[in-house]
PDB file of all heavy atoms in Angstrom:
ATOM      1  N   LYS F  52      -0.194  -1.545  22.261  1.00  0.00           N
ATOM      2  CA  LYS F  52      -0.955  -2.112  21.142  1.00  0.00           C
ATOM      3  C   LYS F  52      -1.271  -1.032  20.106  1.00  0.00           C
ATOM      4  O   LYS F  52      -1.158  -1.260  18.894  1.00  0.00           O
ATOM      5  CB  LYS F  52      -2.253  -2.736  21.669  1.00  0.00           C
ATOM      6  CG  LYS F  52      -3.162  -3.325  20.579  1.00  0.00           C
ATOM      7  CD  LYS F  52      -2.514  -4.529  19.910  1.00  0.00           C
ATOM      8  CE  LYS F  52      -3.505  -5.363  19.121  1.00  0.00           C
ATOM      9  NZ  LYS F  52      -4.054  -4.665  17.960  1.00  0.00           N
ATOM     10  N   TYR F  53      -1.641   0.149  20.592  1.00  0.00           N
ATOM     11  CA  TYR F  53      -1.926   1.257  19.671  1.00  0.00           C
ATOM     12  C   TYR F  53      -0.704   1.569  18.809  1.00  0.00           C
ATOM     13  O   TYR F  53      -0.823   1.726  17.585  1.00  0.00           O
ATOM     14  CB  TYR F  53      -2.352   2.493  20.467  1.00  0.00           C
ATOM     15  CG  TYR F  53      -2.487   3.744  19.638  1.00  0.00           C
ATOM     16  CD1 TYR F  53      -3.666   4.018  18.939  1.00  0.00           C
ATOM     17  CD2 TYR F  53      -1.439   4.653  19.542  1.00  0.00           C
ATOM     18  CE1 TYR F  53      -3.783   5.163  18.168  1.00  0.00           C
ATOM     19  CE2 TYR F  53      -1.551   5.799  18.774  1.00  0.00           C
ATOM     20  CZ  TYR F  53      -2.727   6.054  18.092  1.00  0.00           C
ATOM     21  OH  TYR F  53      -2.842   7.193  17.319  1.00  0.00           O
ATOM     22  N   LEU F  54       0.467   1.669  19.423  1.00  0.00           N
ATOM     23  CA  LEU F  54       1.673   2.012  18.677  1.00  0.00           C
ATOM     24  C   LEU F  54       2.057   0.908  17.698  1.00  0.00           C
ATOM     25  O   LEU F  54       2.580   1.187  16.616  1.00  0.00           O
ATOM     26  CB  LEU F  54       2.815   2.311  19.638  1.00  0.00           C
ATOM     27  CG  LEU F  54       2.616   3.593  20.470  1.00  0.00           C
ATOM     28  CD1 LEU F  54       3.703   3.728  21.516  1.00  0.00           C
ATOM     29  CD2 LEU F  54       2.572   4.825  19.577  1.00  0.00           C
ATOM     30  N   ARG F  55       1.784  -0.342  18.047  1.00  0.00           N
ATOM     31  CA  ARG F  55       2.021  -1.432  17.076  1.00  0.00           C
ATOM     32  C   ARG F  55       1.062  -1.289  15.899  1.00  0.00           C
ATOM     33  O   ARG F  55       1.458  -1.456  14.743  1.00  0.00           O
ATOM     34  CB  ARG F  55       1.838  -2.801  17.743  1.00  0.00           C
ATOM     35  CG  ARG F  55       2.984  -3.191  18.668  1.00  0.00           C
ATOM     36  CD  ARG F  55       2.987  -4.695  18.942  1.00  0.00           C
ATOM     37  NE  ARG F  55       1.750  -5.146  19.579  1.00  0.00           N
ATOM     38  CZ  ARG F  55       1.547  -5.161  20.890  1.00  0.00           C
ATOM     39  NH1 ARG F  55       2.496  -4.721  21.721  1.00  0.00           N
ATOM     40  NH2 ARG F  55       0.402  -5.604  21.397  1.00  0.00           N
ATOM     41  N   ASP F  56      -0.192  -0.978  16.200  1.00  0.00           N
ATOM     42  CA  ASP F  56      -1.160  -0.785  15.124  1.00  0.00           C
ATOM     43  C   ASP F  56      -0.767   0.382  14.219  1.00  0.00           C
ATOM     44  O   ASP F  56      -1.055   0.378  13.017  1.00  0.00           O
ATOM     45  CB  ASP F  56      -2.562  -0.524  15.699  1.00  0.00           C
ATOM     46  CG  ASP F  56      -3.214  -1.780  16.253  1.00  0.00           C
ATOM     47  OD1 ASP F  56      -2.740  -2.898  15.940  1.00  0.00           O
ATOM     48  OD2 ASP F  56      -4.197  -1.657  17.011  1.00  0.00           O
ATOM     49  N   ALA F  57      -0.138   1.394  14.811  1.00  0.00           N
ATOM     50  CA  ALA F  57       0.208   2.614  14.075  1.00  0.00           C
ATOM     51  C   ALA F  57       1.601   2.560  13.453  1.00  0.00           C
ATOM     52  O   ALA F  57       2.105   3.587  12.983  1.00  0.00           O
ATOM     53  CB  ALA F  57       0.101   3.821  15.001  1.00  0.00           C
ATOM     54  N   THR F  58       2.218   1.377  13.425  1.00  0.00           N
ATOM     55  CA  THR F  58       3.532   1.240  12.807  1.00  0.00           C
ATOM     56  C   THR F  58       3.485   1.773  11.370  1.00  0.00           C
ATOM     57  O   THR F  58       2.583   1.449  10.599  1.00  0.00           O
ATOM     58  CB  THR F  58       3.969  -0.240  12.793  1.00  0.00           C
ATOM     59  OG1 THR F  58       4.085  -0.700  14.140  1.00  0.00           O
ATOM     60  CG2 THR F  58       5.311  -0.399  12.093  1.00  0.00           C
ATOM     61  N   GLY F  59       4.459   2.602  11.042  1.00  0.00           N
ATOM     62  CA  GLY F  59       4.492   3.191   9.705  1.00  0.00           C
ATOM     63  C   GLY F  59       3.961   4.608   9.675  1.00  0.00           C
ATOM     64  O   GLY F  59       4.168   5.327   8.692  1.00  0.00           O
ATOM     65  N   LEU F  60       3.265   5.006  10.736  1.00  0.00           N
ATOM     66  CA  LEU F  60       2.779   6.375  10.858  1.00  0.00           C
ATOM     67  C   LEU F  60       3.659   7.134  11.840  1.00  0.00           C
ATOM     68  O   LEU F  60       4.165   6.557  12.813  1.00  0.00           O
ATOM     69  CB  LEU F  60       1.329   6.404  11.355  1.00  0.00           C
ATOM     70  CG  LEU F  60       0.285   5.718  10.475  1.00  0.00           C
ATOM     71  CD1 LEU F  60      -1.066   5.701  11.185  1.00  0.00           C
ATOM     72  CD2 LEU F  60       0.163   6.428   9.128  1.00  0.00           C
ATOM     73  N   SER F  61       3.815   8.409  11.612  1.00  0.00           N
ATOM     74  CA  SER F  61       4.606   9.246  12.510  1.00  0.00           C
ATOM     75  C   SER F  61       3.664   9.908  13.517  1.00  0.00           C
ATOM     76  O   SER F  61       3.246  11.053  13.354  1.00  0.00           O
ATOM     77  CB  SER F  61       5.378  10.307  11.723  1.00  0.00           C
ATOM     78  OG  SER F  61       6.150  11.119  12.588  1.00  0.00           O
ATOM     79  N   ILE F  62       3.292   9.154  14.575  1.00  0.00           N
ATOM     80  CA  ILE F  62       2.359   9.656  15.582  1.00  0.00           C
ATOM     81  C   ILE F  62       3.112  10.597  16.528  1.00  0.00           C
ATOM     82  O   ILE F  62       3.986  10.179  17.279  1.00  0.00           O
ATOM     83  CB  ILE F  62       1.726   8.501  16.377  1.00  0.00           C
ATOM     84  CG1 ILE F  62       0.963   7.553  15.443  1.00  0.00           C
ATOM     85  CG2 ILE F  62       0.814   9.051  17.468  1.00  0.00           C
ATOM     86  CD1 ILE F  62      -0.263   8.156  14.792  1.00  0.00           C
ATOM     87  N   ALA F  63       2.754  11.876  16.477  1.00  0.00           N
ATOM     88  CA  ALA F  63       3.414  12.872  17.316  1.00  0.00           C
ATOM     89  C   ALA F  63       2.684  13.081  18.633  1.00  0.00           C
ATOM     90  O   ALA F  63       3.250  13.641  19.575  1.00  0.00           O
ATOM     91  CB  ALA F  63       3.508  14.202  16.562  1.00  0.00           C
ATOM     92  N   GLY F  64       1.439  12.647  18.716  1.00  0.00           N
ATOM     93  CA  GLY F  64       0.663  12.805  19.936  1.00  0.00           C
ATOM     94  C   GLY F  64      -0.756  12.319  19.711  1.00  0.00           C
ATOM     95  O   GLY F  64      -1.174  12.079  18.572  1.00  0.00           O
ATOM     96  N   THR F  65      -1.494  12.159  20.810  1.00  0.00           N
ATOM     97  CA  THR F  65      -2.877  11.687  20.704  1.00  0.00           C
ATOM     98  C   THR F  65      -3.776  12.420  21.695  1.00  0.00           C
ATOM     99  O   THR F  65      -3.318  12.940  22.710  1.00  0.00           O
ATOM    100  CB  THR F  65      -3.005  10.171  20.979  1.00  0.00           C
ATOM    101  OG1 THR F  65      -2.848   9.926  22.384  1.00  0.00           O
ATOM    102  CG2 THR F  65      -1.984   9.370  20.198  1.00  0.00           C
ATOM    103  N   VAL F  66      -5.057  12.430  21.364  1.00  0.00           N
ATOM    104  CA  VAL F  66      -6.097  12.970  22.241  1.00  0.00           C
ATOM    105  C   VAL F  66      -6.954  11.799  22.711  1.00  0.00           C
ATOM    106  O   VAL F  66      -7.669  11.179  21.913  1.00  0.00           O
ATOM    107  CB  VAL F  66      -6.975  14.010  21.518  1.00  0.00           C
ATOM    108  CG1 VAL F  66      -8.043  14.560  22.469  1.00  0.00           C
ATOM    109  CG2 VAL F  66      -6.120  15.147  20.957  1.00  0.00           C
ATOM    110  N   TYR F  67      -6.862  11.480  23.991  1.00  0.00           N
ATOM    111  CA  TYR F  67      -7.677  10.415  24.576  1.00  0.00           C
ATOM    112  C   TYR F  67      -9.084  10.956  24.808  1.00  0.00           C
ATOM    113  O   TYR F  67      -9.271  12.020  25.405  1.00  0.00           O
ATOM    114  CB  TYR F  67      -7.074   9.985  25.910  1.00  0.00           C
ATOM    115  CG  TYR F  67      -7.929   9.040  26.730  1.00  0.00           C
ATOM    116  CD1 TYR F  67      -7.753   7.666  26.644  1.00  0.00           C
ATOM    117  CD2 TYR F  67      -8.914   9.523  27.602  1.00  0.00           C
ATOM    118  CE1 TYR F  67      -8.522   6.796  27.403  1.00  0.00           C
ATOM    119  CE2 TYR F  67      -9.689   8.660  28.359  1.00  0.00           C
ATOM    120  CZ  TYR F  67      -9.496   7.304  28.250  1.00  0.00           C
ATOM    121  OH  TYR F  67     -10.264   6.441  29.007  1.00  0.00           O
ATOM    122  N   ILE F  68     -10.072  10.198  24.354  1.00  0.00           N
ATOM    123  CA  ILE F  68     -11.470  10.551  24.581  1.00  0.00           C
ATOM    124  C   ILE F  68     -12.071   9.545  25.548  1.00  0.00           C
ATOM    125  O   ILE F  68     -11.867   8.332  25.429  1.00  0.00           O
ATOM    126  CB  ILE F  68     -12.271  10.548  23.260  1.00  0.00           C
ATOM    127  CG1 ILE F  68     -11.599  11.460  22.230  1.00  0.00           C
ATOM    128  CG2 ILE F  68     -13.707  11.002  23.511  1.00  0.00           C
ATOM    129  CD1 ILE F  68     -11.498  12.915  22.612  1.00  0.00           C
ATOM    130  N   GLU F  69     -12.816  10.055  26.511  1.00  0.00           N
ATOM    131  CA  GLU F  69     -13.409   9.199  27.553  1.00  0.00           C
ATOM    132  C   GLU F  69     -14.005   7.938  26.946  1.00  0.00           C
ATOM    133  O   GLU F  69     -14.587   7.968  25.874  1.00  0.00           O
ATOM    134  CB  GLU F  69     -14.448   9.982  28.348  1.00  0.00           C
ATOM    135  CG  GLU F  69     -15.633  10.526  27.539  1.00  0.00           C
ATOM    136  CD  GLU F  69     -16.792   9.544  27.482  1.00  0.00           C
ATOM    137  OE1 GLU F  69     -16.806   8.586  28.282  1.00  0.00           O
ATOM    138  OE2 GLU F  69     -17.677   9.749  26.640  1.00  0.00           O
ATOM    139  N   ALA F  70     -13.839   6.838  27.670  1.00  0.00           N
ATOM    140  CA  ALA F  70     -14.192   5.525  27.133  1.00  0.00           C
ATOM    141  C   ALA F  70     -15.410   4.919  27.821  1.00  0.00           C
ATOM    142  O   ALA F  70     -15.522   3.698  27.932  1.00  0.00           O
ATOM    143  CB  ALA F  70     -12.997   4.589  27.239  1.00  0.00           C
ATOM    144  N   GLU F  71     -16.320   5.784  28.272  1.00  0.00           N
ATOM    145  CA  GLU F  71     -17.589   5.357  28.843  1.00  0.00           C
ATOM    146  C   GLU F  71     -17.407   4.387  30.001  1.00  0.00           C
ATOM    147  O   GLU F  71     -17.920   3.271  29.997  1.00  0.00           O
ATOM    148  CB  GLU F  71     -18.510   4.791  27.764  1.00  0.00           C
ATOM    149  CG  GLU F  71     -18.882   5.829  26.715  1.00  0.00           C
ATOM    150  CD  GLU F  71     -20.011   5.391  25.798  1.00  0.00           C
ATOM    151  OE1 GLU F  71     -20.830   4.550  26.211  1.00  0.00           O
ATOM    152  OE2 GLU F  71     -20.070   5.903  24.665  1.00  0.00           O
ATOM    153  N   TRP F  72     -16.630   4.856  30.993  1.00  0.00           N
ATOM    154  CA  TRP F  72     -16.595   4.148  32.259  1.00  0.00           C
ATOM    155  C   TRP F  72     -17.972   4.241  32.908  1.00  0.00           C
ATOM    156  O   TRP F  72     -18.847   4.989  32.463  1.00  0.00           O
ATOM    157  CB  TRP F  72     -15.560   4.784  33.184  1.00  0.00           C
ATOM    158  CG  TRP F  72     -14.134   4.462  32.886  1.00  0.00           C
ATOM    159  CD1 TRP F  72     -13.545   4.391  31.654  1.00  0.00           C
ATOM    160  CD2 TRP F  72     -13.102   4.199  33.844  1.00  0.00           C
ATOM    161  NE1 TRP F  72     -12.209   4.100  31.787  1.00  0.00           N
ATOM    162  CE2 TRP F  72     -11.909   3.981  33.115  1.00  0.00           C
ATOM    163  CE3 TRP F  72     -13.067   4.136  35.235  1.00  0.00           C
ATOM    164  CZ2 TRP F  72     -10.701   3.697  33.746  1.00  0.00           C
ATOM    165  CZ3 TRP F  72     -11.858   3.854  35.857  1.00  0.00           C
ATOM    166  CH2 TRP F  72     -10.695   3.629  35.124  1.00  0.00           C
ATOM    167  N   LYS F  73     -18.141   3.510  33.993  1.00  0.00           N
ATOM    168  CA  LYS F  73     -19.392   3.585  34.743  1.00  0.00           C
ATOM    169  C   LYS F  73     -19.668   5.036  35.128  1.00  0.00           C
ATOM    170  O   LYS F  73     -18.762   5.730  35.598  1.00  0.00           O
ATOM    171  CB  LYS F  73     -19.299   2.725  36.001  1.00  0.00           C
ATOM    172  CG  LYS F  73     -20.540   2.738  36.866  1.00  0.00           C
ATOM    173  CD  LYS F  73     -20.337   1.897  38.115  1.00  0.00           C
ATOM    174  CE  LYS F  73     -21.567   1.941  39.026  1.00  0.00           C
ATOM    175  NZ  LYS F  73     -21.351   1.140  40.259  1.00  0.00           N
ATOM    176  N   PRO F  74     -20.902   5.527  34.911  1.00  0.00           N
ATOM    177  CA  PRO F  74     -21.219   6.902  35.299  1.00  0.00           C
ATOM    178  C   PRO F  74     -20.826   7.180  36.738  1.00  0.00           C
ATOM    179  O   PRO F  74     -21.043   6.371  37.631  1.00  0.00           O
ATOM    180  CB  PRO F  74     -22.736   6.973  35.109  1.00  0.00           C
ATOM    181  CG  PRO F  74     -23.030   5.972  34.041  1.00  0.00           C
ATOM    182  CD  PRO F  74     -22.050   4.851  34.278  1.00  0.00           C
ATOM    183  N   GLY F  75     -20.209   8.342  36.935  1.00  0.00           N
ATOM    184  CA  GLY F  75     -19.773   8.724  38.269  1.00  0.00           C
ATOM    185  C   GLY F  75     -18.321   8.412  38.547  1.00  0.00           C
ATOM    186  O   GLY F  75     -17.801   8.748  39.617  1.00  0.00           O
ATOM    187  N   GLU F  76     -17.621   7.777  37.574  1.00  0.00           N
ATOM    188  CA  GLU F  76     -16.227   7.400  37.804  1.00  0.00           C
ATOM    189  C   GLU F  76     -15.264   8.206  36.932  1.00  0.00           C
ATOM    190  O   GLU F  76     -14.192   7.744  36.559  1.00  0.00           O
ATOM    191  CB  GLU F  76     -16.036   5.904  37.565  1.00  0.00           C
ATOM    192  CG  GLU F  76     -16.770   5.039  38.584  1.00  0.00           C
ATOM    193  CD  GLU F  76     -16.343   3.584  38.534  1.00  0.00           C
ATOM    194  OE1 GLU F  76     -15.550   3.227  37.637  1.00  0.00           O
ATOM    195  OE2 GLU F  76     -16.797   2.813  39.399  1.00  0.00           O
ATOM    196  N   ALA F  77     -15.647   9.435  36.616  1.00  0.00           N
ATOM    197  CA  ALA F  77     -14.815  10.273  35.753  1.00  0.00           C
ATOM    198  C   ALA F  77     -13.452  10.539  36.365  1.00  0.00           C
ATOM    199  O   ALA F  77     -12.426  10.526  35.658  1.00  0.00           O
ATOM    200  CB  ALA F  77     -15.521  11.595  35.456  1.00  0.00           C
ATOM    201  N   LEU F  78     -13.402  10.771  37.663  1.00  0.00           N
ATOM    202  CA  LEU F  78     -12.116  11.035  38.311  1.00  0.00           C
ATOM    203  C   LEU F  78     -11.241   9.784  38.310  1.00  0.00           C
ATOM    204  O   LEU F  78     -10.031   9.867  38.080  1.00  0.00           O
ATOM    205  CB  LEU F  78     -12.331  11.533  39.737  1.00  0.00           C
ATOM    206  CG  LEU F  78     -12.918  12.937  39.865  1.00  0.00           C
ATOM    207  CD1 LEU F  78     -13.160  13.285  41.330  1.00  0.00           C
ATOM    208  CD2 LEU F  78     -11.993  13.970  39.240  1.00  0.00           C
TER     209      LEU F  78
END
Side-chain angles (χ1 to χ4, degrees):
K52 178 66 164 66
Y53 172 84
L54 292 173
R55 286 198 300 272
D56 285 344
T58 297
L60 299 174
S61 180
I62 300 293
T65 74
V66 180
Y67 171 94
I68 305 299
E69 60 90 15
E71 297 192 26
W72 283 41
K73 179 182 178 181
E76 293 193 355
L78 290 177

